[in-house]
């Protein structure tokens, strides 16, 4: 827990914007890369342990974080969440099923979720990333979905629609992906698989509806 607190403190060092710059329509890629690298470095602590210790520690940390957070007021299929997803989909041209799949993988639709590394809300935005995206309150479902979808769209554009690369960058960080494209960690490969499984399931459910 002391390490978790230290990591959250480190994440907080990235939240100040001394210049008070206006947020652009497409996020500053260099700043987002810095936030993403910070996110990965925080997670890297666990992977440096032995397999058994890392698995046990990760399980305890995740259980503690999610059990401590209040239960969400909205459900995955609630009208509010659905409306925010549809709004973000229309504005940024990202499939609503993909947005839902990312939310499911990131937070299981808990809008108050906080990861051990400090990522927050439905789409698990790091504080620096949220600030860069113009998200004042990452725990506000609408702001988080709009900001997270905007970020996801920027990654899809950057990698010319390659979903695997966009998801890898979202999870692992753009800098890591572009420096070591053939060295994806197991966590990132599992994340890609999880999101694509959710995406296929949601697409099929929508087809049957």
């Amino acid at each position: 827990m002391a390490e978790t607190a230290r990591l959250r403190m480190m994440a907080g060092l990235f939240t100040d914007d001394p210049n008070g710059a206006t947020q652009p329509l497409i996020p500053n890629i260099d700043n987002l890369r810095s936030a993403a690298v910070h996110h990965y470095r925080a997670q890297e602590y666990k992977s440096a342990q032995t397999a058994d210790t890392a698995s046990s520690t990760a399980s305890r940390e995740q259980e503690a974080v999610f059990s401590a957070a209040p239960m969400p007021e909205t459900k995955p299929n609630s009208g509010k969440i659905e409306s925010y997803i549809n709004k973000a989909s229309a504005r940024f041209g990202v499939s609503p099923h993909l947005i839902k799949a990312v939310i499911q993988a990131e937070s299981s639709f808990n809008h108050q979720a906080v990861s051990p590394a400090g990522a927050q809300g439905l789409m698990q935005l790091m504080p620096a990333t949220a600030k860069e995206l113009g998200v004042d309150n990452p725990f506000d479902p609408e702001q988080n979905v709009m900001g997270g979808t905007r970020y996801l769209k920027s990654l899809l554009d950057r990698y010319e629609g390659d979903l695997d690369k966009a998801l890898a960058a979202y999870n692992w960080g753009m800098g890591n992906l572009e420096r070591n494209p053939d060295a994806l960690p197991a966590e990132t490969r599992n994340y890609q698989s999880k999101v694509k499984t959710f995406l296929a399931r949601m697409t099929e459910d929508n087809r049957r509806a």
Side-chain angles (χ1 to χ4, degrees):
M1 295 302 294
E3 182 61 23
T4 299
R6 185 180 72 81
L7 294 177
R8 288 177 177 165
M9 184 178 297
M10 290 174 63
L13 296 176
F14 289 79
T15 61
D16 293 330
D17 183 2
N19 297 320
T22 301
Q23 304 301 327
L25 177 62
I26 298 299
N28 184 299
I29 293 299
D30 290 335
N31 289 345
L32 290 179
R33 177 182 291 122
S34 175
V37 168
H38 167 69
H39 186 177
Y40 177 66
R41 284 177 178 170
Q43 294 175 323
E44 199 173 35
Y45 170 80
K46 292 183 295 181
S47 63
Q49 313 303 309
T50 64
D52 289 342
T53 301
S55 176
S56 175
T57 300
S59 177
R60 288 197 303 271
E61 287 181 341
Q62 184 177 23
E63 181 178 346
V65 168
F66 282 89
S67 62
M71 290 301 293
E73 298 172 357
T74 48
K75 303 298 181 182
N77 295 320
S78 73
K80 287 182 179 180
I81 294 290
E82 195 78 22
S83 69
Y84 303 150
I85 290 171
N86 289 336
K87 179 180 177 181
S89 174
R91 177 172 298 182
F92 299 111
V94 177
S95 163
H97 305 312
L98 177 57
I99 299 171
K100 290 180 185 179
V102 170
I103 292 173
Q104 182 67 49
E106 291 287 348
S107 69
S108 296
F109 282 85
N110 181 351
H111 72 274
Q112 294 181 321
V114 180
S115 78
Q120 302 169 331
L122 289 170
M123 298 186 76
Q124 290 289 276
L125 303 176
M126 288 296 289
T129 304
K131 188 177 183 67
E132 184 69 23
L133 292 164
V135 176
D136 297 322
N137 179 9
F139 299 108
D140 178 88
E142 182 174 12
Q143 288 192 43
N144 194 287
V145 169
M146 295 301 289
T149 303
R150 178 180 167 190
Y151 181 36
L152 182 60
K153 171 62 174 176
S154 73
L155 295 175
L156 288 167
D157 287 346
R158 184 177 182 86
Y159 300 114
E160 301 180 336
D162 189 318
L163 180 59
D164 281 327
K165 287 184 178 179
L167 292 176
Y170 196 101
N171 176 260
W172 193 29
M174 290 176 287
N176 292 310
L177 175 63
E178 292 172 9
R179 284 191 299 270
N180 303 289
D182 299 320
L184 294 183
E187 178 186 348
T188 298
R189 293 195 299 274
N190 291 338
Y191 177 81
Q192 291 172 317
S193 178
K194 184 187 299 184
V195 172
K196 289 191 292 184
T197 297
F198 289 143
L199 175 59
R201 183 182 306 164
M202 291 171 183
T203 302
E204 179 62 18
D205 288 346
N206 183 73
R207 187 187 67 80
R208 292 178 177 178

